[in-house]
Amino acid sequence: MKHAWKKLRWFLLTFIVYFIFGMLITSIKSDFIWGLYAIGLFIGFPIYLFWIILSEIKYQIKNKKASSTSITEKKASNDEIPLDSINSNKAVVKPINNNNLASTAVNPTLTEQQNKVQENSAPENTLENLGIKVSPTPIGDTTKNKSGQNIIIHHLRRKLYNFVVVDTETTGLDKNAKIIQLSAIRYEHDKPVETFNEYINPETLPLPEKITTITGIDNQMLQHAPKFKEMSNKFMEFVGTLPWIGHNINSFDIPRLVNNGLPLNEVSTIDTLNLARKKLHMSHYGLEDLKHYYGIQNKSHNSLEDCKTNAIVYQHLRDDILTPVTPDYSNIKQSLAGLSFAISGSFAGYSRKDVEELVKSHGGSIKSTVTHDTDYLVDGKQISDSLTDGIHSSKELKARDYGTNILSLSELYSLIKGE
């Protein structure tokens, strides 16, 4: 019922405004106006409410089916491993044991029919047989590769079990941003088998301070890294003819890869951002939001780590596992119980939600701002352009006024360990 509350709020707000409007027109003696008002009140609003009820019923039925499927598959799964088991720091084709990507992923066993579908997914087969919708629409200003050819993106609508997850880190969000990290994980029969991970010298050093703060990637890491043109062919060999999975990949990653010189003419993709918008009822659909929705324990703002996260998100969405995962903290020492925390600034490799989850998992509570009874402010680096005095955030200034203890992330870890 939680996801339907937003629709109900809009319904009630609209009804109240409509009712007030009716009170204001009581002095108007016009059968036409009152007729329209009656149609809206006695026909329009009941139809609107009926649509909300049907939407909720449909959502609950889908979730009930997905939950029963998830329970059955979890009982049959006995080969799960933690995320860190497929970590890679260089662009080396690295074999991975036949394990799942993380304990939170639920991967169904493939049937012979599913395997045959994947064997027939080579580009020489007709697009019609593959169920592919071809979208030859140019992607903004990055529609041509180095040879001047248009790039065609095929938006796949079928379930994939052989694919490659792709993600990038860049020097910024603009279309001309340089790639500083490129990662991919290849999946065969729904299991990770090889990884690709390369830090890239953007030839525009030094990096913006904001990027280093968010990603943890610094100038020293990139100074002797290969340039994009030196490893682009190696990346293309790695992905081969497999379809790409990515979060906002069509609008962000592919255009910037092409702008950086990737020799790409045609690619088939599934964008998990679009998939999540179609299947879930959330206020935000960022990869970090989906990570916490599904209870995935993983770092952020690193393209290889984001690939791991995105693979799990895709598997859940593909298999209609749509219910959120409630974290279980029963086996975690509640060393922060009774303490309240506020969060400010940015943390390399972690989002604020990650830090909040860390505090909550150990028994602490989160405040949206600093008050007189806030015990600690976990303070990262301030990169906002709208700081209160140009240097400090409002939370930092309040913490100073109230005498609140200020911790770095490493100091928070020490507090959790009781050091």
Side-chain angles (χ1 to χ4, degrees):
M1 189 66 186
K2 184 184 292 186
H3 89 280
W5 174 237
K6 288 185 179 179
K7 297 176 183 177
L8 286 172
R9 282 188 298 180
W10 279 109
F11 173 83
L12 292 173
L13 179 62
T14 307
F15 183 83
I16 291 171
V17 172
Y18 199 78
F19 182 79
I20 294 174
F21 174 73
M23 298 293 291
L24 295 175
I25 64 172
T26 52
S27 60
I28 299 177
K29 297 179 180 179
S30 171
D31 293 338
F32 178 73
I33 292 178
W34 280 104
L36 290 177
Y37 183 79
I39 290 174
L41 187 62
F42 297 108
I43 298 179
F45 280 102
I47 291 175
Y48 187 10
L49 183 60
F50 184 66
W51 173 77
I52 293 175
I53 294 172
L54 282 181
S55 177
E56 174 66 15
I57 293 173
K58 182 179 178 182
Y59 181 77
Q60 294 298 334
I61 291 174
K62 182 182 290 187
N63 278 349
K64 187 176 181 180
K65 291 180 179 178
S67 298
S68 60
T69 302
S70 174
I71 293 172
T72 303
E73 290 171 346
K74 282 182 179 178
K75 289 180 179 178
S77 177
N78 58 6
D79 59 349
E80 300 173 17
I81 61 172
L83 284 165
D84 293 340
S85 62
I86 66 165
N87 192 24
S88 173
N89 293 321
K90 293 300 292 179
V92 177
V93 177
K94 178 181 177 182
I96 301 176
N97 291 332
N98 209 18
N99 296 312
N100 286 344
L101 191 57
S103 58
T104 52
V106 181
N107 296 329
T109 303
L110 295 180
T111 64
E112 288 185 14
Q113 184 177 3
Q114 288 171 329
N115 287 330
K116 288 180 180 179
V117 170
Q118 291 299 297
E119 290 171 2
N120 293 330
S121 62
E124 57 266 18
N125 289 283
T126 62
L127 297 178
E128 290 77 11
N129 290 338
L130 294 176
I132 297 174
K133 178 184 177 182
V134 181
S135 302
T137 306
I139 49 176
D141 297 326
T142 58
T143 57
K144 296 181 182 297
N145 59 19
K146 278 189 170 183
S147 302
Q149 298 172 311
N150 285 334
I151 300 165
I152 298 177
I153 300 178
H154 305 291
H155 299 277
L156 304 186
R157 299 184 183 275
R158 57 191 173 90
K159 294 183 177 182
L160 300 177
Y161 299 90
N162 294 328
F163 54 87
V164 59
V165 188
V166 177
D167 193 72
T168 62
E169 297 297 336
T170 64
T171 56
L173 300 178
D174 61 282
K175 64 179 182 179
N176 295 317
K178 298 295 184 179
I179 307 292
I180 58 175
Q181 186 185 11
L182 175 58
S183 305
I185 302 176
R186 186 157 64 219
Y187 275 68
E188 293 179 5
H189 304 300
D190 217 27
K191 296 184 182 296
V193 293
E194 294 173 330
T195 64
F196 179 100
N197 184 45
E198 187 70 74
Y199 291 104
I200 301 168
N201 187 334
E203 303 181 67
T204 56
L205 297 176
L207 286 175
E209 186 178 0
K210 281 187 178 182
I211 300 302
T212 297
T213 300
I214 294 172
T215 65
I217 301 173
D218 57 31
N219 298 313
Q220 188 175 1
M221 295 170 63
L222 304 182
Q223 187 174 3
H224 301 293
K227 297 177 176 59
F228 189 87
K229 61 183 178 182
E230 297 171 356
M231 46 65 58
S232 58
N233 287 334
K234 187 185 295 186
F235 174 77
M236 293 300 293
E237 290 175 7
F238 178 85
V239 298
T241 59
L242 287 173
W244 295 13
I245 304 291
H247 200 73
N248 200 25
I249 191 170
N250 296 333
S251 299
F252 186 86
D253 297 279
I254 290 178
R256 282 149 189 81
L257 284 168
V258 171
N259 270 346
N260 276 258
L262 191 70
L264 187 67
N265 298 323
E266 188 173 3
V267 63
S268 298
T269 68
I270 290 181
D271 194 326
T272 50
L273 175 61
N274 297 333
L275 198 59
R277 285 172 173 167
K278 290 178 182 178
K279 294 197 172 191
L280 300 177
H281 297 270
M282 300 170 63
S283 56
H284 302 286
Y285 296 89
L287 188 58
E288 290 177 11
D289 300 291
L290 293 168
K291 179 180 76 171
H292 289 280
Y293 184 86
Y294 283 124
I296 302 169
Q297 301 298 316
N298 197 9
K299 288 186 177 182
S300 299
H301 307 306
N302 176 283
S303 60
L304 181 60
E305 299 300 314
D306 286 343
C307 281
K308 299 174 186 179
T309 298
N310 205 14
I312 300 172
V313 168
Y314 170 67
Q315 290 168 329
H316 280 63
L317 293 173
R318 178 198 64 197
D319 300 335
D320 287 330
I321 303 172
L322 308 179
T323 52
V325 175
T326 302
D328 181 9
Y329 303 140
S330 59
N331 295 324
I332 299 177
K333 184 179 178 181
Q334 302 297 286
S335 53
L336 303 181
L339 299 176
S340 62
F341 295 78
I343 315 291
S344 180
S346 298
F347 307 87
Y350 298 89
S351 67
R352 285 197 191 183
K353 284 190 177 182
D354 293 334
V355 180
E356 289 179 7
E357 195 70 22
L358 178 64
V359 170
K360 290 178 182 177
S361 66
H362 290 84
S365 62
I366 297 294
K367 288 178 170 288
S368 59
T369 187
V370 175
T371 60
H372 69 280
D373 57 349
T374 304
D375 295 300
Y376 293 97
L377 171 66
V378 184
D379 198 21
K381 190 157 188 177
Q382 302 300 331
I383 60 174
S384 173
D385 294 326
S386 56
L387 296 173
T388 303
D389 61 357
I391 301 175
H392 302 95
S393 68
S394 60
K395 292 180 183 178
E396 287 179 320
L397 296 176
K398 287 181 180 179
R400 182 187 299 172
D401 292 339
Y402 289 124
T404 305
N405 295 304
I406 300 178
L407 300 175
S408 65
L409 186 58
S410 60
E411 289 171 332
L412 173 63
Y413 276 110
S414 297
L415 182 64
I416 290 172
K417 295 176 182 178
E419 297 176 355

